[in-house]
Amino acid sequence: MTDTNPTDRPTVLVTGGAGYIGSHAVLALGDAGWRVVVLDNLVTGFREAVDPRATFVEGAIEDMALVAQVIAEHGIGAIMHFAGSVVVPESVSDPLKYYRNNTAATRNLLEAAIGAGVRHLLFSSTAATYGIPQAIPVAEDAPKVPINPYGMSKLMTEAMLADVAFTHPFNYGALRYFNVAGADPQGRAGQSTAGATHLIKIACEAACGKRAHVSVYGSDYATADGTGVRDYIHVADLAAAHVLALEALIASPEESFTLNCGYGRGFSVLEVLDSVERVSGVTLDRRMEPRRAGDPDALVADNRAILARLPWRPALADLDTIVGHALGWERQLRRNSF
Ligand SMILES: NC(=O)c1ccc[n+]([C@@H]2O[C@H](COP(=O)([O-])OP(=O)(O)OC[C@H]3O[C@@H](n4cnc5c(N)ncnc54)[C@H](O)[C@@H]3O)[C@@H](O)[C@H]2O)c1
Ligand SMILES: O=c1ccn([C@@H]2O[C@H](COP(=O)(O)OP(=O)(O)O[C@H]3O[C@H](CO)[C@H](O)[C@H](O)[C@H]3O)[C@@H](O)[C@H]2O)c(=O)[nH]1
């Protein structure tokens, strides 16, 4: 990424680096002095979202010849793997797309990577692997019973990674993200996804006048105010966790890990909307609607494992901070139409 990359650090291939979370990881790697190559087919990502310090290759992770070529050409030693399909309801209506683009495509990526001698990989997994948790907060060893093909496609990939690491000189970190939100505090990146379904993004769009109202899906959940509770994690804190996880993989090449990425606290839908109103000064038109299919009452991370395994300390956990950064990006998007 820069000429200052220390020689003991491999160049990192970031798949999906033109997407929401990947573009923030590319910034965090660049800020920490890592050299980065982004591989993205731009199916949901944006070329403009890629940090100019990174090398960009347009292409698909399932293209094994391309992946092998990129690894050889750039001396790739580690991969951060964000590329995939991410819309839960779409995974129900088109499950084979999810098993193709998440599970099968990752299989190809792994075959090319292992063949080319790559030793380390970080994988974007999800709290959707837990399904409807029996207890909150949910720890990594809780039962994994996904309730949609998206979660299952990710759980299958986790199983594949474990099998590969057992046999090959290779270790991995599976990071199970909870609800990712916010934007780069310096305003360099944010969520640009078209047709987003995430609550904070939607509420910020409404505060910017891009939507007439915000739907509240269900008010009869077993939570304090009856609306769904989630553990919202700032995307920049998550990106920082990736850089530390990469360092941990390289420092302990025999050891793989699976870690929840969340703060261990939850906010209800109404608390999120209150925050967006507080930060934006706009009163939202809230519409109470029936429950959305497949939504658990509450999903909050037990984050003791990540706090013990990595020197990661949340820096941006305040809900108004997360919302403020998301709103700042939304206003920028409105001005730039990007
Ligand atoms: N956003 C969340 O709340 C959340 C939560 C848990 C896990 N995740 C995971 O994090 C990762 C990133 O999610 P995101 O929210 O940034 O989504 P995103 O859609 O913004 O980013 C995905 C990126 O991958 C690229 N891509 C997709 N398929 C590809 C392929 N076959 N080859 C090359 N590039 C491809 C897209 O163009 C896009 O740039 C995903 O794997 C997702 O499952 C996201
Ligand atoms: O317009 C909206 C959108 C969402 N919600 C509610 O807000 C909460 C959060 O919903 P999101 O759609 O923002 O996020 P999810 O919890 O459904 O799922 C997200 O986080 C999961 C992990 O926690 C998975 O990773 C998944 O991919 C990702 O979309 C839920 O109670 C949902 O019902 C609304 O009330 N109105």
Side-chain angles (χ1 to χ4, degrees), residues 314-332:
L316 300 160
D318 175 64
L319 181 60
D320 285 4
T321 302
I322 297 174
V323 164
H325 291 151
L327 193 64
W329 179 254
E330 207 57 54
R331 287 179 173 145
Q332 212 171 303

Side-chain angles (χ1 to χ4, degrees), residues 16 18-22 39-45 59-62 82-86 101 105 124-126 150 154 177-180 193 198:
Y20 170 45
I21 304 171
L39 175 64
D40 197 302
N41 64 5
L42 302 180
V43 65
T44 55
I61 57 164
E62 60 270 29
F82 296 91
S85 299
V86 309
N101 204 40
S124 299
S125 192
T126 168
Y150 169 70
K154 293 282 182 173
Y177 314 158
F178 282 63
N179 289 56
V180 188
T193 324
H198 294 123

Side-chain angles (χ1 to χ4, degrees), residues 231-242:
D231 188 342
Y232 295 93
I233 176 171
H234 195 299
V235 67
D237 265 346
L238 183 62
H242 280 73

Side-chain angles (χ1 to χ4, degrees), residues 96-147:
L96 293 176
K97 173 175 175 179
Y98 281 71
Y99 293 117
R100 180 182 72 240
N101 204 40
N102 290 347
T103 316
T106 302
R107 196 216 68 84
N108 279 17
L109 174 73
L110 276 175
E111 185 172 337
I114 295 295
V118 172
R119 296 291 177 101
H120 318 285
L121 184 140
L122 273 176
F123 172 58
S124 299
S125 192
T126 168
T129 53
Y130 296 113
I132 297 180
Q134 290 167 1
I136 294 293
V138 58
E140 287 82 354
D141 59 359
K144 264 120 349 249
V145 191
I147 54 167

